[in-house]
Amino acid sequence: MKITDARVVVTSPGRNYATLVVETSDGLVGVGDATLNGRELAVATYLRDHVCPLLVGRDPARIEDTWQYLYKGAYWRRGPVAMTAIAAVDTALWDIKGKTAGLPVYELLGGASRDGVMVYGHADGRDVPELLDSVAEYLQLGYKAVRIQAAVPGMAKTYGVSTGDGQVYEPANAHLPEEGSWESSTYLDFAPTVFEAVRERFGFAVHLLHDVHHRLTPIEAARLGKALEPYRPFWIEDATPAEDQSAFRVIRAHTTTPLAVGEVLTSIWDVQTLITERLIDYVRTSVAHTGGISHLRKLYALGELYGVRSGAHGAGDLSPVAHAAALHLDLTIPNFGIQEYMGHRDPAAEVFRSSYTFTDGYMHPGNAPGLGVEFDEAAAARFPYQPRYLPVNRRLDGTVHDW
Ligand code: EZ4
Ligand code: CO
């Protein structure tokens, strides 16, 4: 069997997604998510101009060899654009391998290690009462774990909080990025009161998560971790900017609050110190941005050695193809922790027909051969790409801060 065609489709059913489609001489089709939120066309170009021509004529069964060929063959290492592109190829080839074998991908990865994958949903509120209502809705749906984000008083916009009813929390602008506002001192006083209110109303049976979104210094993050200890968070995420691995030594020295980081990291080498020094509890790297199933599996195996569990990024900007791939891998690894699940807005389901299921807080990838997601190119064509920027964040004095 040979690869006969590889093409990239950029579509916007609710938000932008880039999808790699790989066809074989046996008539099989494999898909991979190539979406890099706000920089979609860079990955599309990387694939179209530099990778797709190398795929045609190759044996799709040689997944690891293709990974090494694309990674080492580029000479230039790592980075979100290259690693998302390689991830898309890797994921599409696992899809094809599953379809060839007539088995769901999780069976090829060693089979299920659990009955279902615990996921967490995103509760948010423009104030604490609204957040409490939002948490109640997730519990009603059966979620066992919920991320809680509330607007910080005095800030015009807060990460993770929708701007109005039915609005997404992550505004994306066509011309110039929207600008948020931030002061760490205000946030640090406010965040523990949010946890206190949620625990008071719902008790301790539900897992509570929180995303700091890269905004604190190491000692501020240590203070937050200590302040939240009485409320026993499942984790605090991205307490400091992820690229500074040694910052986590400072946080770790001060608090027993579990730490998660890594959604912006793209390889096993980017988390080597974090894992081997046991500086984190959960690693947020994803199939979509961290070199695909093959590479993330190695990264998880490293985590297994050091007691670090998975907690993969699964925001709505990762397509249903990436979500399915994540669920297959989550189901198999021994050190699974939790999986983020934000879902996808209409009309994404017209373009991506997925077979994964949600039951009582747990997801399952389904038993269709391959990944179990059908990509409808005719439907995709009805939703053309829309240029969008992620927001930029500023302190109250105007200084650009991490978003
Ligand atoms: O901001 O995926 O935990 N989830 C997150 C996401 C990220 C977006 C960026 O594209 O932090 O909301
Ligand atoms: Co995050």
Side-chain angles (χ1 to χ4, degrees):
M1 188 167 39
K2 296 245 178 297
I3 295 172
T4 50
D5 189 36
R7 57 185 179 275
V8 186
V9 179
V10 184
T11 178
S12 191
R15 64 184 309 155
N16 289 319
Y17 297 110
T19 306
L20 177 71
V21 182
V22 176
E23 281 182 12
T24 74
S25 51
D26 285 14
L28 298 175
V29 178
V31 287
D33 184 15
T35 310
L36 189 61
N37 197 8
R39 294 292 186 271
E40 296 86 3
L41 299 188
V43 182
T45 303
Y46 189 101
L47 281 166
R48 248 177 222 145
D49 294 344
H50 303 293
V51 173
C52 292
L54 303 176
L55 295 180
V56 174
R58 290 185 73 84
D59 179 357
R62 297 183 61 159
I63 300 178
E64 182 66 25
D65 180 64
T66 301
W67 198 99
Q68 299 293 337
Y69 184 84
L70 294 177
Y71 183 82
K72 293 179 176 156
Y75 182 67
W76 311 105
R77 302 292 159 119
R78 308 184 288 167
V81 175
M83 294 303 276
T84 302
I86 295 173
V89 175
D90 183 82
T91 309
L93 297 188
W94 278 105
D95 193 20
I96 288 168
K97 194 175 281 294
K99 287 173 177 168
T100 307
L103 291 170
V105 166
Y106 77 82
E107 291 291 5
L108 307 179
L109 299 173
S113 291
R114 56 194 51 77
D115 301 327
V117 168
M118 184 169 72
V119 295
Y120 70 91
H122 285 202
D124 72 316
R126 284 165 287 183
D127 53 27
V128 171
E130 196 177 271
L131 172 65
L132 296 177
D133 290 347
S134 178
V135 173
E137 280 171 32
Y138 280 96
L139 297 181
Q140 198 68 37
L141 292 168
Y143 280 85
K144 305 287 180 273
V146 182
R147 188 182 96 154
I148 54 172
Q149 310 287 140
V152 180
M155 305 296 141
K157 292 191 185 70
T158 304
Y159 164 79
V161 178
S162 66
T163 46
D165 290 335
Q167 298 287 304
V168 284
Y169 73 72
E170 177 203 279
N173 260 17
H175 303 297
L176 279 174
E178 195 162 282
E179 300 202 353
S181 55
W182 182 258
E183 275 307 316
S184 294
S185 54
T186 312
Y187 164 77
L188 282 167
D189 288 337
F190 176 63
T193 68
V194 175
F195 267 84
E196 187 184 19
V198 176
R199 283 300 186 210
E200 198 178 286
R201 164 93 180 266
F202 299 101
F204 282 80
V206 56
H207 296 301
L208 297 181
L209 298 81
H210 179 65
D211 194 344
V212 187
H213 228 252
H214 326 275
R215 287 157 187 217
L216 299 177
T217 65
I219 204 67
E220 287 169 347
R223 180 182 145 198
L224 177 68
K226 280 177 81 163
L228 295 183
E229 278 171 21
Y231 312 111
R232 302 202 289 277
F234 186 92
W235 76 32
I236 54 171
E237 172 187 345
D238 292 343
T240 55
E243 61 268 40
D244 184 0
Q245 295 187 58
S246 62
F248 283 79
R249 292 187 189 125
V250 176
I251 312 172
R252 203 56 156 175
H254 291 284
T255 181
T256 57
T257 290
L259 304 173
V261 75
E263 69 182 40
V264 299
L265 302 179
T266 60
S267 79
I268 196 167
W269 300 283
D270 301 305
V271 296
Q272 187 175 11
T273 304
L274 291 168
I275 289 176
T276 59
E277 292 190 21
R278 306 175 194 272
L279 299 179
I280 56 170
D281 302 279
Y282 298 93
V283 64
R284 296 272 301 145
T285 42
S286 71
V287 165
H289 302 130
T290 318
I293 291 171
S294 302
H295 191 69
L296 193 57
R297 197 180 176 208
K298 293 178 191 177
L299 190 157
Y300 286 159
L302 179 66
E304 185 192 346
L305 282 178
Y306 293 94
V308 175
R309 291 184 178 177
S310 72
H313 187 208
D317 50 293
L318 286 81
S319 89
V321 175
H323 190 64
L327 293 175
H328 283 281
L329 188 53
D330 291 338
L331 198 64
T332 64
I333 54 169
N335 54 328
F336 170 74
I338 199 166
Q339 168 70 47
E340 184 177 23
Y341 178 54
M342 208 174 143
H344 298 90
R345 289 165 66 82
D346 289 337
E350 288 178 35
V351 174
F352 300 95
R353 283 193 281 275
S354 54
S355 44
Y356 47 74
T357 52
F358 173 95
T359 316
D360 211 22
Y362 294 87
M363 294 192 78
H364 192 281
N367 287 306
L371 295 171
V373 181
E374 254 181 76
F375 178 60
D376 183 335
E377 282 190 64
R382 295 203 302 271
F383 307 106
Y385 168 71
Q386 298 181 7
R388 286 284 183 271
Y389 286 101
L390 279 168
V392 166
N393 199 23
R394 290 187 193 275
R395 297 185 57 183
L396 296 183
D397 71 357
T399 309
V400 173
H401 197 67
D402 303 77
W403 176 70

